[in-house]
mmCIF file of all heavy atoms in Angstrom:
data_model
loop_
_atom_site.group_PDB
_atom_site.id
_atom_site.type_symbol
_atom_site.label_atom_id
_atom_site.label_comp_id
_atom_site.label_asym_id
_atom_site.label_seq_id
_atom_site.Cartn_x
_atom_site.Cartn_y
_atom_site.Cartn_z
ATOM 1 N N PRO A 18 8.066 -6.374 -1.532
ATOM 2 C CA PRO A 18 8.607 -7.537 -2.113
ATOM 3 C C PRO A 18 8.579 -7.467 -3.656
ATOM 4 O O PRO A 18 7.773 -6.727 -4.224
ATOM 5 C CB PRO A 18 7.738 -8.691 -1.602
ATOM 6 C CG PRO A 18 6.807 -8.094 -0.636
ATOM 7 C CD PRO A 18 6.890 -6.610 -0.757
ATOM 8 N N LEU A 26 -0.926 6.811 1.243
ATOM 9 C CA LEU A 26 -1.888 7.893 1.031
ATOM 10 C C LEU A 26 -1.921 8.706 2.317
ATOM 11 O O LEU A 26 -2.315 8.211 3.360
ATOM 12 C CB LEU A 26 -3.281 7.377 0.733
ATOM 13 C CG LEU A 26 -3.411 6.474 -0.537
ATOM 14 C CD1 LEU A 26 -4.820 5.983 -0.662
ATOM 15 C CD2 LEU A 26 -2.965 7.254 -1.762
ATOM 16 N N LYS A 31 -3.905 19.251 9.655
ATOM 17 C CA LYS A 31 -4.976 20.233 9.953
ATOM 18 C C LYS A 31 -4.601 21.621 9.510
ATOM 19 O O LYS A 31 -3.529 22.078 9.796
ATOM 20 C CB LYS A 31 -5.255 20.189 11.482
ATOM 21 C CG LYS A 31 -6.313 21.127 11.898
ATOM 22 C CD LYS A 31 -7.671 20.530 11.641
ATOM 23 C CE LYS A 31 -8.787 21.425 12.196
ATOM 24 N NZ LYS A 31 -10.041 21.274 11.481
ATOM 25 N N LEU A 61 6.933 7.337 10.295
ATOM 26 C CA LEU A 61 7.614 7.011 9.059
ATOM 27 C C LEU A 61 9.051 6.697 9.195
ATOM 28 O O LEU A 61 9.599 5.763 8.659
ATOM 29 C CB LEU A 61 7.390 8.081 7.979
ATOM 30 C CG LEU A 61 5.980 8.217 7.469
ATOM 31 C CD1 LEU A 61 5.769 9.574 6.776
ATOM 32 C CD2 LEU A 61 5.612 7.111 6.476
ATOM 33 N N GLU A 81 3.133 22.251 3.076
ATOM 34 C CA GLU A 81 3.710 22.397 4.391
ATOM 35 C C GLU A 81 3.713 21.011 5.154
ATOM 36 O O GLU A 81 4.687 20.719 5.822
ATOM 37 C CB GLU A 81 2.849 23.383 5.206
ATOM 38 C CG GLU A 81 3.099 24.849 4.783
ATOM 39 C CD GLU A 81 2.297 25.810 5.623
ATOM 40 O OE1 GLU A 81 1.563 25.454 6.564
ATOM 41 O OE2 GLU A 81 2.429 27.012 5.298
ATOM 42 N N GLY A 91 14.099 10.242 3.805
ATOM 43 C CA GLY A 91 15.405 10.040 3.182
ATOM 44 C C GLY A 91 15.675 11.043 2.110
ATOM 45 O O GLY A 91 14.910 11.951 1.872
ATOM 46 N N HIS A 112 -6.035 7.306 -11.730
ATOM 47 C CA HIS A 112 -5.463 7.483 -13.059
ATOM 48 C C HIS A 112 -4.022 7.979 -12.997
ATOM 49 O O HIS A 112 -3.170 7.558 -13.722
ATOM 50 C CB HIS A 112 -6.392 8.457 -13.860
ATOM 51 C CG HIS A 112 -5.848 8.757 -15.223
ATOM 52 N ND1 HIS A 112 -5.961 7.869 -16.298
ATOM 53 C CD2 HIS A 112 -5.183 9.819 -15.716
ATOM 54 C CE1 HIS A 112 -5.380 8.399 -17.342
ATOM 55 N NE2 HIS A 112 -4.917 9.556 -17.055
ATOM 56 N N LEU A 126 1.532 9.679 -1.842
ATOM 57 C CA LEU A 126 0.615 10.673 -2.446
ATOM 58 C C LEU A 126 -0.012 11.506 -1.278
ATOM 59 O O LEU A 126 -0.586 10.983 -0.402
ATOM 60 C CB LEU A 126 -0.521 9.950 -3.170
ATOM 61 C CG LEU A 126 -1.423 10.895 -4.063
ATOM 62 C CD1 LEU A 126 -1.928 10.145 -5.226
ATOM 63 C CD2 LEU A 126 -2.498 11.576 -3.362
ATOM 64 N N GLU A 135 -11.841 8.026 -0.490
ATOM 65 C CA GLU A 135 -12.498 7.216 -1.436
ATOM 66 C C GLU A 135 -11.536 6.261 -2.155
ATOM 67 O O GLU A 135 -11.849 5.105 -2.383
ATOM 68 C CB GLU A 135 -13.315 8.040 -2.424
ATOM 69 C CG GLU A 135 -14.467 8.713 -1.775
ATOM 70 C CD GLU A 135 -15.100 9.806 -2.659
ATOM 71 O OE1 GLU A 135 -14.636 9.998 -3.791
ATOM 72 O OE2 GLU A 135 -16.060 10.451 -2.129
ATOM 73 N N SER A 142 -8.715 -4.402 -0.074
ATOM 74 C CA SER A 142 -9.416 -5.599 -0.599
ATOM 75 C C SER A 142 -10.209 -6.283 0.543
ATOM 76 O O SER A 142 -11.220 -6.948 0.278
ATOM 77 C CB SER A 142 -8.459 -6.582 -1.163
ATOM 78 O OG SER A 142 -7.469 -6.917 -0.275
ATOM 79 N N VAL A 150 -12.135 -0.751 8.134
ATOM 80 C CA VAL A 150 -13.415 -0.196 8.675
ATOM 81 C C VAL A 150 -13.173 1.173 9.237
ATOM 82 O O VAL A 150 -13.968 2.055 9.049
ATOM 83 C CB VAL A 150 -13.929 -1.239 9.792
ATOM 84 C CG1 VAL A 150 -15.105 -0.621 10.483
ATOM 85 C CG2 VAL A 150 -14.288 -2.564 9.134
ATOM 86 N N THR A 168 0.717 -5.904 -7.575
ATOM 87 C CA THR A 168 1.034 -5.566 -8.989
ATOM 88 C C THR A 168 2.498 -5.270 -9.055
ATOM 89 O O THR A 168 3.046 -4.682 -8.132
ATOM 90 C CB THR A 168 0.216 -4.463 -9.586
ATOM 91 O OG1 THR A 168 0.429 -4.344 -10.944
ATOM 92 C CG2 THR A 168 0.372 -3.146 -8.866
ATOM 93 N N PHE A 184 -3.134 1.633 8.889
ATOM 94 C CA PHE A 184 -3.898 2.931 8.834
ATOM 95 C C PHE A 184 -3.584 3.606 10.152
ATOM 96 O O PHE A 184 -3.947 3.141 11.258
ATOM 97 C CB PHE A 184 -5.398 2.675 8.653
ATOM 98 C CG PHE A 184 -6.161 3.980 8.652
ATOM 99 C CD1 PHE A 184 -5.989 4.938 7.639
ATOM 100 C CD2 PHE A 184 -7.091 4.227 9.637
ATOM 101 C CE1 PHE A 184 -6.666 6.106 7.690
ATOM 102 C CE2 PHE A 184 -7.830 5.392 9.631
ATOM 103 C CZ PHE A 184 -7.613 6.356 8.652
#
Side-chain angles (χ1 to χ4, degrees):
L26 300 177
K31 180 79 175 153
L61 289 162
E81 288 182 1
H112 178 76
L126 192 154
E135 291 167 0
S142 57
V150 172
T168 184
F184 178 63

